[in-house]
Amino acid sequence: MQTSAVLARDPANRPRKRSWRPVLMGAPLVALLLALLVYPVGQLLLQSVHHATGFNLGEYRRLFATPVYLDVLVITLKISLWTTFFSVLCAYPVAYLISSLHGKRKNALLFWVLLSFWTSFLVRTFAWVVLLGRNGVINDFLMAVGVIHQPLNLLYNFGAVILGMVHALMPLAVLTMLSVMENIDRNLPRAAATLGARPGTAFWKIYFPLSMPGVAAAALMVFVTAIGFFITPALLGGRHQTMITQLIIDQVLQALNWGFAGAISVLLLVVVLIVFLVYDKLVGLSTMTGGEARARPSSLGNWPRRVGDAVLAVLAVLTDRLVDCLPKRRRAGAAVPGQSRFTWGVVILLLLFLSAPTFLMIPLSFDAASGLTWPPHGFSLQWYHQMLRSPLWMQSIARSFIVGTCTALLSMLIGTPAAFLLARGKLRGKSLMLAFVMAPIVVPRMILAVGLFYFYAHIGLVGTSLGLVLGHTVVAVPYVVITMMAVLRNYDVRLDQAAQSLGARPSATLRFVTFPILAAGLMSSFLFAFATSFDELTIALFSSGGLSTTLPKQFWDTITMEISPVIAAVSTCLFLFTASLIWVAARLHRRSVAR
C-alpha cells in the first residue's frame, strides 16, 4: 500500500495531466491571435484578390501600374530608414551610459526615458507643431535674437517628419538596447585596457560587437513601428511626405475600397516580413526577448565580417586620436568606461531633446490668450475648466481608463501563462510559438486595425468597449509575454523546488513563492499593457464609432479640426498622469527588491 501511494504521487505516473498542462497554458493566447489577428487580417488580404466575379488580380495591376503608389512606398521606406538610423544613433549613448550606472543616478536617467516613452505620441507630435509653427517657439526665438527677419517654414516638410518620428521612437530604441547592454560584462573592456588597449580600441573592438544584438533589435523595432506610422507624418508632413498607411486610411474611410486597401496592405506586409526574415537570418528572433544572438553561417563567405572588422578598426583609431587631443584631465575622465564628461554631456542634451517639447505644453495650458503662441500671455485656468466641462473630453477619458484597465487585466491573464510556458516549458516548436506570439508586432498596426474593423462590422462590435478591449489586448499581450519571459529568465527556480520539497503543492508554490517574487515584473507588465491601450489610436480610429471615443481618438479629432489651447491642457494632464504612473511603478519595484 505504501509503495502504491508513493507511485501515485510520482509525477512520472501522471502523464495525462502533464501533457494537457502546456495546452491549457498556451490555448487562450493562440485562440485570441487566431480569432482576432489571423482571421481578420486574412479576410482583409483576401479582399484584394476575391471579388463578386471570382479570383481577380485587378487591384494589384492598378497598384503597380500607377507610379503614385510606388512613389509613396519609396517615401515610406525612405522615412522609415532615416528614422531608424537617427533613432538608433541617438539612443546608443543614452543606453550605454544608463547601463554603466547604478542606484539613484541610473533611476533618474531611466525615469526621463520612460517618461518620454510612455507619453502619448499625439502629445509629443502636437508639441512639435507648436515648436515649429510660423508663430512657434523656434521662429519667435530666432526673430527675437535677430537671426531671421521673417518666420521660416519649418513645418510640413521632410525634416519635420524625421525630427518628430525620431523624437517619438528614440525611447523605444533606448529601452531595447538597454536590455542587452545591461547583460554585458563591463570587466571585458577593462581587461582589454589592462592589456594595453586604448579606450577607443577597447570600446569598438570589445564592447560594441557585444552590443550589436541590442542594436539590431532596436533597429528592427523602430523600423517596423515607423513603417506603419501615420500620426507624425499626417501632422508634421506635407503632401510629399504621405506614407503608405495614410493611403490605407483613405481607401477605407473615404473611398470604401476594401479590395485596394487589402492590396496596399499586402504590399506593406510583404516588406515587413522580408525585414523580419533578414533579421532572423542574421541575428535570431530570440534576441528580442533578451536571448543571445545565434551564430549563423553566412552564404556570402567571410568578407562581410572582414569589412565590419576593418570599419571598427578605423573607428577605433579615430576615437583614440580624438582622445589624444583632449587635455590630460579630460583624457583621464574619458578612460572611465561609459562615464566620461563627453558622454554625460551628449546624453543630457539628448534627454533634453526628448523632454523639452512635452514640458512646453505646461505653460501654454495656463495661457490667458486664445491662441497657442509663445510666450504665453497672462495666467488662466480657463482651458482646464473648459476640458472638465466638456462631455466629449470627460467621456473619452473615462472610456480610456476602463478600456485600458480591462485590457491590462486580460493581457495579464492570457500572456503570463504563455510566458511561463515559453520560458520554462519543454515543448517542441518553441521558436515557432514565439514567432506566433510576436505576430502582432510583425503585422503593421494599420493592417490589424483595418482587418478588425472589417471583422467587427460583420459581428456588431464596431463602437463597443468590448471590441476595443479585445483589439487592444491583441497588441498588448506580446509585450506582456516578452516582459515576463525576461523576468523569468532571472528567476531562481530552486526557490520553487525548495517549496515543493517541503510539501507545497504547485498552486500554493505559485501563490506564496513565485508570484510574490515576480510582483515587480507582473506590475510592469500590467502597466505596459495599460499604457499601450491608453495611448492606442490606430484601432480606436476605426473601431470606436460615433461619440463613444477614447481619449487618443478625441485628441486626434480635435487636432485635425482646430488648434485649441484645450489640447495643451489635456496634454499637461496626460503628462502628469504618465509621470505619476512611472513613479508608482518605481516605488513598487523598489519595495519588492527590499523584500
Side-chain angles (χ1 to χ4, degrees):
M1 293 291 292
Q2 185 175 1
T3 304
S4 62
V6 173
L7 291 175
R9 291 195 300 268
D10 187 0
N13 294 313
R14 292 179 291 177
R16 184 178 300 275
K17 185 175 181 180
R18 281 188 173 270
S19 64
W20 282 103
R21 185 175 299 173
V23 176
L24 294 176
M25 295 175 68
L29 179 56
V30 173
L32 175 75
L33 297 183
L34 286 176
L36 297 177
L37 175 68
V38 176
Y39 181 75
V41 172
Q43 286 288 100
L44 173 64
L45 302 184
L46 186 63
Q47 294 295 315
S48 64
V49 296
H50 181 72
H51 301 275
T53 57
F55 183 81
N56 192 336
L57 295 177
E59 301 294 353
Y60 290 95
R61 285 194 291 269
R62 174 189 171 191
L63 178 62
F64 290 103
T66 308
V68 174
Y69 301 119
L70 296 180
D71 291 341
V72 171
L73 177 61
V74 172
I75 292 171
T76 301
L77 293 175
K78 180 181 177 182
I79 292 176
S80 302
L81 289 172
W82 278 113
T83 299
T84 302
F85 173 76
F86 285 114
S87 296
V88 173
L89 181 67
C90 296
Y92 193 94
V94 179
Y96 180 64
L97 178 60
I98 294 176
S99 66
S100 68
L101 298 175
H102 301 281
K104 293 183 178 180
R105 289 195 299 177
K106 180 175 183 177
N107 294 332
L109 294 183
L110 190 58
F111 172 82
W112 291 111
V113 175
L114 290 173
L115 183 60
S116 181
F117 177 73
W118 277 1
T119 301
S120 172
F121 285 124
L122 285 166
V123 172
R124 287 183 277 167
T125 303
F126 180 71
W128 284 110
V129 174
V130 177
L131 274 168
L132 301 176
R134 292 185 63 85
N135 297 321
V137 178
I138 295 178
N139 271 318
D140 184 76
F141 173 77
L142 293 177
M143 293 181 66
V145 298
V147 176
I148 59 175
H149 300 289
Q150 59 182 3
L152 300 175
N153 294 321
L154 301 177
L155 269 179
Y156 312 122
N157 52 52
F158 182 79
V161 173
I162 296 298
L163 186 66
M165 292 189 66
V166 170
H167 180 264
L169 298 178
M170 179 182 153
L172 175 62
V174 172
L175 296 176
T176 306
M177 285 189 283
L178 186 61
S179 63
V180 174
M181 290 183 178
E182 287 182 330
N183 295 322
I184 298 176
D185 189 354
R186 289 282 176 152
N187 291 322
L188 295 176
R190 294 190 182 98
T194 59
L195 295 175
R198 302 291 303 280
T201 303
F203 173 79
W204 289 108
K205 302 291 287 185
I206 305 297
Y207 185 88
F208 185 76
L210 295 174
S211 66
M212 275 304 297
V215 174
L220 176 68
M221 294 296 294
V222 171
F223 179 82
V224 171
T225 306
I227 202 172
F229 226 46
F230 75 95
I231 297 173
T232 304
L235 295 180
L236 301 183
R239 61 185 181 88
H240 295 293
Q241 289 78 43
T242 301
M243 295 187 69
I244 198 167
T245 48
Q246 294 169 265
L247 294 182
I248 299 176
I249 294 176
D250 293 339
Q251 292 299 318
V252 173
L253 296 183
Q254 297 182 14
L256 298 178
N257 191 340
W258 292 95
F260 195 59
I264 301 175
S265 300
V266 169
L267 180 62
L268 179 61
L269 186 59
V270 167
V271 173
V272 173
L273 289 177
I274 291 174
V275 172
F276 264 87
L277 289 175
V278 172
Y279 178 87
D280 185 52
K281 180 74 174 177
L282 297 177
V283 183
L285 288 176
S286 60
T287 57
M288 299 185 64
T289 60
E292 296 181 355
R294 292 173 290 180
R296 295 170 179 258
S298 175
S299 59
L300 301 176
N302 293 326
W303 73 266
R305 179 175 295 181
R306 292 176 182 175
V307 172
D309 291 340
V311 172
L312 292 180
V314 172
L315 291 174
V317 171
L318 293 177
T319 304
D320 288 332
R321 290 184 179 179
L322 180 63
V323 172
D324 290 337
C325 297
L326 297 175
K328 289 185 177 180
R329 245 183 293 175
R330 294 189 178 182
R331 198 183 307 171
V336 180
Q339 299 185 31
S340 66
R341 292 182 180 179
F342 177 77
T343 304
W344 270 101
V346 170
V347 170
I348 289 175
L349 288 177
L350 290 172
L351 291 180
L352 286 176
F353 166 72
L354 290 179
S355 306
T358 310
F359 275 106
L360 178 71
M361 293 292 99
I362 298 178
L364 289 177
S365 67
F366 297 101
D367 193 359
S370 59
L372 286 172
T373 58
W374 190 268
H377 302 82
F379 179 85
S380 174
L381 296 176
Q382 58 177 322
W383 311 118
Y384 289 93
H385 292 159
Q386 187 171 334
M387 178 190 70
L388 295 174
R389 290 196 302 265
S390 171
L392 292 177
W393 284 111
M394 298 314 296
Q395 289 174 8
S396 62
I397 291 173
R399 194 180 196 198
S400 289
F401 268 102
I402 294 172
V403 171
T405 303
C406 294
T407 298
L409 291 174
L410 187 58
S411 299
M412 290 287 296
L413 291 174
I414 295 176
T416 303
F420 271 87
L421 178 63
L422 290 171
R424 295 186 176 182
K426 297 180 180 179
L427 69 159
R428 296 179 180 178
K430 186 181 293 188
S431 59
L432 293 177
M433 177 69 175
L434 178 60
F436 185 63
V437 170
M438 295 175 62
I441 301 177
V442 177
V443 177
R445 187 76 58 85
M446 180 59 64
I447 298 178
L448 174 61
V450 176
L452 284 175
F453 178 52
Y454 183 80
F455 178 57
Y456 285 173
H458 288 80
I459 62 175
L461 284 181
V462 175
T464 64
S465 296
L466 176 60
L468 285 174
V469 170
L470 293 176
H472 289 181
T473 301
V474 172
V475 299
V477 75
Y479 297 104
V480 172
V481 174
I482 292 173
T483 303
M484 290 307 302
M485 286 183 65
V487 172
L488 288 171
R489 280 198 177 95
N490 299 320
Y491 179 78
D492 191 352
V493 295
R494 292 176 297 180
L495 298 173
D496 294 346
Q497 295 171 355
Q500 292 176 3
S501 66
L502 295 175
R505 295 186 176 183
S507 58
T509 303
L510 283 174
R511 181 181 177 185
F512 296 106
V513 179
T514 307
F515 284 150
I517 296 176
L518 299 177
L522 292 169
M523 180 56 65
S524 298
S525 299
F526 178 88
L527 294 177
F528 209 142
F530 178 85
T532 301
S533 171
F534 197 80
D535 189 39
E536 207 289 319
L537 171 64
T538 312
I539 295 175
L541 186 66
F542 293 92
S543 299
S544 61
L547 300 178
S548 247
T549 63
T550 60
L551 182 58
K553 176 65 165 51
Q554 179 62 33
F555 201 110
W556 172 262
D557 291 342
T558 305
I559 290 177
T560 52
M561 289 189 297
E562 61 176 343
I563 301 296
S564 169
V566 178
I567 302 174
V570 176
S571 301
T572 302
C573 293
L574 284 174
F575 180 73
L576 295 177
F577 171 72
T578 302
S580 62
L581 203 65
I582 298 173
W583 182 81
V584 170
R587 292 273 296 182
L588 292 173
H589 177 70
R590 286 196 295 268
R591 185 175 299 178
S592 65
V593 172
R595 290 179 180 177

